[in-house]
Amino acid sequence: MSAQLRDTAGELGMLLWREHTLYRERSGSVVIRGAHVERWISLSPTGGRDQVLIRAGRILDGGTTAPARSEAVASLALGTAELATVCRRLLADTAAGPAPRQERRRSGRAKKAKAAGRTRKPVRGSRHTGLLSWLIILAVAAVVAVYVRNLALWL
């Protein structure tokens, strides 16, 4: 399966881009990297017979790859031209999405928190008092009112 996957990926690379790099990952998938178009395609074997998982993503500044933006499952029996059509559709979906967010510079405190494995607290969406808080306030007010009433009865 891996030899067939590599041969298919080589043919797909020639159909999709004039300049491409083909390499195999440890997981057994084959990646076609088009650096001049800043896109990549990954072909991974699936549990099905003659089926392949096709994933597409972007290449960020500096040469790192962004996570896959779109994916599809296709049969290797379709042929190279049909697989190239599926890949082009996935690449079009990748290009249509928003641009990848650039990594902001982190402050020293944020770097230390990330290194320690901690995450930042999520930002609260609203500062309004919630329903549960109002119920607690009402319960405390009721207890105080009962105490004052009982105190007044004793006097």
Side-chain angles (χ1 to χ4, degrees):
M1 177 73 173
S2 65
Q4 181 184 9
L5 198 60
R6 184 161 175 81
D7 293 340
T8 304
E11 293 172 13
L12 277 174
M14 289 189 302
L15 285 175
L16 294 173
W17 300 307
R18 65 179 184 272
E19 299 173 22
H20 65 277
T21 305
L22 190 68
Y23 62 92
R24 187 170 164 240
E25 293 183 329
R26 283 182 238 158
S27 62
S29 61
V30 179
V31 178
I32 308 165
R33 186 178 172 111
H36 66 289
V37 291
E38 297 178 341
R39 302 286 184 266
W40 59 266
I41 294 277
S42 170
L43 303 173
S44 304
T46 62
R49 183 176 214 169
D50 286 340
Q51 287 190 341
V52 63
L53 174 66
I54 303 172
R55 300 171 62 207
R58 293 183 177 190
I59 299 174
L60 302 175
D61 293 336
T64 60
T65 58
R69 290 188 170 241
S70 56
E71 58 184 38
V73 176
S75 174
L76 287 176
L78 287 176
T80 309
E82 288 81 7
L83 286 174
T85 303
V86 172
C87 290
R88 285 186 185 106
R89 182 178 50 86
L90 293 176
L91 289 168
D93 291 345
T94 301
R101 189 176 64 178
Q102 293 294 327
E103 186 77 22
R104 289 188 219 150
R105 287 211 160 133
R106 297 176 187 255
S107 65
R109 188 170 63 196
K111 286 181 184 177
K112 289 177 187 174
K114 184 178 180 184
R118 296 176 297 205
T119 58
R120 293 178 16 186
K121 292 181 182 177
V123 178
R124 291 180 59 179
S126 171
R127 293 286 180 186
H128 296 289
T129 305
L131 178 64
L132 185 61
S133 298
W134 282 113
L135 290 175
I136 292 171
I137 291 169
L138 287 176
V140 169
V143 168
V144 170
V146 168
Y147 177 75
V148 170
R149 181 178 159 265
N150 285 341
L151 187 64
L153 288 177
W154 283 98
L155 293 176

